[in-house]
Each structure stands twice: as C-alpha cells, then as structure tokens.
Amino acid sequence: MDYHSEEYLNGLTDDDGEVRELTAEDFAQFRPIQEFPEMYAFFKSLKRPEKDDPEPVEIAPDVVRAFRSHGDRSVGEQVNSALRDWLREHAA
C-alpha cells in the first residue's frame, strides 16, 4: 500500500471528515521527519515563540531561610513581591 496516496490519506478520516482513531498498522507506518528532508528543513526553520516560562534563578540559602521565616506565602511569591517593589522604587 502507498501510504502517501490519496486513497490511504482519505482512509484516515471517517464519514464525517474527522480523523479516525489510529491503529497499530497506522503507527507502524510512521517515519522520522528526518526521512523527509524538505519538510524537516521547513520545520527546523520555524521560529519558536518566546516563552513566558519563569527564568530559573539561584537564591542563596541564607536569603531563602530569611524569606521562609516570614509570612505564609511561598518563598517564590515573597521574592517576586520584593523584586516588584524594588523595580517600582527604582523605575526610570
């Protein structure tokens, strides 16, 4: 069977045009994207969006202990609050 054929690709959808559940036979036909150089080059060329993930920061143990000894909030919340206060006070 030609797994790139229109017949096969159409067979991946049900009567409503929705992608059907994939079978073990479908998965057996999967190939690494590196086997398709043009497609691989295209995806490698895409720019990744900027992440809003937090930046890991190393905090000295004595500072962590000091924050832990104050309040009910987590150390991270307290450090963020302190840094935001500092930024407000030192805004240009």
Side-chain angles (χ1 to χ4, degrees), residues 2-89:
D2 178 7
Y3 292 98
H4 302 287
S5 70
E6 189 77 18
E7 177 185 352
Y8 176 75
L9 295 175
N10 285 339
L12 292 175
T13 57
D14 62 20
D15 292 337
D16 297 325
E18 298 293 323
V19 175
R20 64 171 171 73
E21 188 172 331
L22 298 177
T23 65
E25 183 181 333
D26 295 320
F27 284 107
Q29 301 306 316
F30 284 8
R31 297 289 175 262
I33 195 169
Q34 290 86 347
E35 290 184 15
F36 306 91
E38 288 179 13
M39 188 180 297
Y40 182 66
F42 169 75
F43 282 109
K44 291 289 283 183
S45 72
L46 296 176
K47 300 289 183 205
R48 295 184 180 190
E50 292 293 320
K51 291 185 176 181
D52 288 338
D53 293 339
E55 181 70 28
V57 176
E58 187 172 326
I59 301 173
D62 61 312
V63 175
V64 172
R65 280 192 301 273
F67 276 103
R68 280 191 181 139
S69 70
H70 293 63
D72 296 332
R73 295 182 304 162
S74 72
V75 170
E77 290 173 325
Q78 292 181 70
V79 169
N80 283 332
S81 179
L83 290 170
R84 285 186 183 105
D85 289 345
W86 186 91
L87 288 169
R88 264 191 306 277
E89 292 171 12

